[in-house]
Amino acid sequence: LRAYAMDPDHPGINYNLGLLYKKCDDVDQAISHFETASPIEGSYFHLGELYRKKGEENLSISNFIQGTDDECQKCQLEMMRHHFEIFMGGDEFGISNFYNFFIISDPDLRKTMEVQYMFGEYQYKMGRPSAAGLSFRCAGNYPDALFAVYNYGLGDLGDREECLKRAALLDHEEAMYLHGCRLMEGTPVHIDMGMNFLQTSKDSRAIMALYDHFENIMKVGSLCQETTDQMEKIFNDLDFRKLMEIGEKTNLSGDNPNPLFLERCAKLYLVPSRILWIKQKLYSRDTTATQKKLWFNQLVLYADDGHVEAQLIVAKIYNIGEVEVEISQANAEKWYRIAAK
């Protein structure tokens, strides 16, 4: 700061102060110093990032463009990413712009995995599947490129399935869901592996696949304590925050989580599973009287919310008198009539 006081227009001093304020998340101060330091290579890249953080997309892009004139690889990459997102969104204008930035970019940048993947998508959009496949393979272990080989049907079936597996192992969300579903069709060992992929994936369909799996187990009547405990762990871990994240992925506008999806998860996927394993614990010999009362009161809450399965269980237990309950006589009789049907 003393050096800055002596020479406030020095580019090097302003560049380093810009880095400091950027690290401290003081966006406006960082922008002010990088603007003064702009002759120094790298300043435009930081300005592009900072203006993007402020939501000023036009200023962000203009700085990235200025940075490309200095052959700044980071700025060139940001411009390719920008136009890549545009043409992947269906805008033909972005295709030619992406290609123009690709051609003028640094040769070393063009060899990187991410750029090879983006160029592969460009080739596929232009109707050149063979060239696209070559670019995707040049991208090596870039997850999106591996998934694109599988998704676009490039190569023989075995090669595509291997690419799907590699993408799943590299945490590609959709690949984890699809690979997990395939494993669920195999042996018990494969099923366990498939469940791990489905539990880790944030793809909204993964929760549905897990629920369908447990529902099938229920239908054939082979639900053991080990499976019940597994269900408890999986569905108990799906807290509201994770549902919000998944809900955001299902909402095309990206503004707010899809309320219908959240409601479906809460009422269709979480509650029935929770009711099922609570029922198992109520009838388990290892559950103490105190624990039974706690589990039963949880079921009463679900019954009050209108869940028929919970109402049936509560009514039967109330009639038998196995658990000391705290529900009204009217509700007990109403639910018992439902159970009797």
Side-chain angles (χ1 to χ4, degrees):
L1 289 175
R2 280 185 294 175
Y4 175 73
M6 293 173 64
D7 188 358
D9 295 322
H10 191 285
I13 295 171
N14 277 280
Y15 182 84
N16 284 291
L17 283 171
L19 290 175
L20 177 64
Y21 282 114
K22 185 182 179 185
K23 188 173 183 180
C24 294
D25 210 25
D26 190 333
V27 175
D28 291 328
Q29 282 280 19
I31 286 175
S32 174
H33 288 293
F34 279 125
E35 291 280 10
T36 307
S38 54
I40 294 181
E41 184 177 339
S43 297
Y44 292 119
F45 171 74
H46 291 296
L47 284 167
E49 282 197 321
L50 289 162
Y51 277 120
R52 177 179 289 168
K53 193 167 187 178
K54 285 189 71 173
E56 299 181 28
E57 193 65 24
N58 289 336
L59 283 172
S60 172
I61 291 170
S62 68
N63 277 282
F64 284 137
I65 290 174
Q66 284 180 277
T68 62
D69 294 337
D70 295 335
E71 295 185 344
C72 173
Q73 284 194 9
K74 288 181 179 180
C75 289
Q76 292 171 2
L77 179 58
E78 285 300 325
M79 288 311 301
M80 278 192 278
R81 284 171 175 166
H82 172 70
H83 291 294
F84 175 75
E85 289 176 6
I86 291 175
F87 86 67
M88 287 298 283
D91 190 330
E92 296 295 323
F93 181 70
I95 294 180
S96 58
N97 280 344
F98 168 81
Y99 184 70
N100 290 336
F101 276 101
F102 177 82
I103 290 299
I104 66 170
S105 64
D106 188 288
D108 290 334
L109 179 63
R110 292 202 294 268
K111 295 175 185 176
T112 62
M113 291 192 296
E114 183 181 358
V115 174
Q116 281 295 314
Y117 158 67
M118 290 192 287
F119 190 59
E121 290 283 7
Y122 164 81
Q123 296 278 36
Y124 192 80
K125 289 278 187 184
M126 297 299 291
R128 306 169 192 151
S130 297
L134 182 61
S135 292
F136 289 142
R137 284 171 171 79
C138 286
N141 280 330
Y142 195 74
D144 287 331
L146 290 167
F147 184 74
V149 171
Y150 167 81
N151 196 39
Y152 295 144
L154 305 175
D156 59 47
L157 181 61
D159 181 42
R160 285 156 46 203
E161 291 290 342
E162 179 61 24
C163 285
L164 177 67
K165 177 182 176 181
R166 285 164 60 194
L169 290 169
L170 291 167
D171 297 338
H172 187 285
E173 298 293 349
E174 191 170 357
M176 291 167 74
Y177 159 69
L178 292 172
H179 185 56
C181 287
R182 278 161 176 69
L183 289 170
M184 296 290 282
E185 299 169 1
T187 64
V189 173
H190 288 119
I191 289 174
D192 286 340
M193 293 168 61
M195 288 180 67
N196 287 332
F197 279 113
L198 292 175
Q199 289 174 59
T200 308
S201 174
K202 292 181 180 178
D203 192 298
S204 57
R205 295 168 297 175
I207 296 179
M208 302 176 195
L210 282 170
Y211 181 79
D212 289 342
H213 170 67
F214 287 123
E215 190 173 47
N216 289 332
I217 293 176
M218 285 184 268
K219 286 176 181 176
V220 299
S222 59
L223 194 67
C224 62
Q225 186 62 44
E226 183 181 355
T227 307
T228 305
D229 292 341
Q230 200 171 24
M231 288 176 67
E232 176 179 345
K233 182 180 185 305
I234 291 171
F235 290 99
N236 216 25
D237 286 347
L238 290 172
D239 60 16
F240 185 72
R241 182 173 297 177
K242 184 162 185 179
L243 287 175
M244 291 285 281
E245 291 173 3
I246 297 167
E248 286 169 359
K249 287 180 175 290
T250 67
N251 185 20
L252 295 179
S253 71
D255 297 328
N256 297 302
N258 184 324
L260 292 176
F261 176 80
L262 292 179
E263 182 180 0
R264 193 176 181 194
C265 281
K267 292 185 177 178
L268 179 59
Y269 298 127
L270 292 180
V271 174
S273 303
R274 193 171 180 85
I275 289 172
L276 181 67
W277 61 258
I278 287 177
K279 178 182 177 181
Q280 294 291 320
K281 288 186 175 296
L282 282 171
Y283 287 103
S284 171
R285 293 179 179 178
D286 298 327
T287 306
T288 65
T290 302
Q291 289 172 331
K292 282 186 178 182
K293 186 174 180 179
L294 290 172
W295 290 124
F296 185 86
N297 288 336
Q298 179 71 67
L299 276 181
V300 170
L301 293 176
Y302 290 133
D304 283 334
D305 285 340
H307 295 282
V308 176
E309 182 63 24
Q311 291 174 348
L312 298 178
I313 300 168
V314 169
K316 289 176 181 177
I317 294 176
Y318 179 87
N319 186 55
I320 296 171
E322 286 184 341
V323 180
E324 183 181 345
V325 298
E326 297 176 3
I327 58 174
S328 70
Q329 181 70 26
N331 271 345
E333 290 176 355
K334 178 181 71 176
W335 295 341
Y336 186 71
R337 284 197 299 272
I338 295 172
K341 295 178 181 179

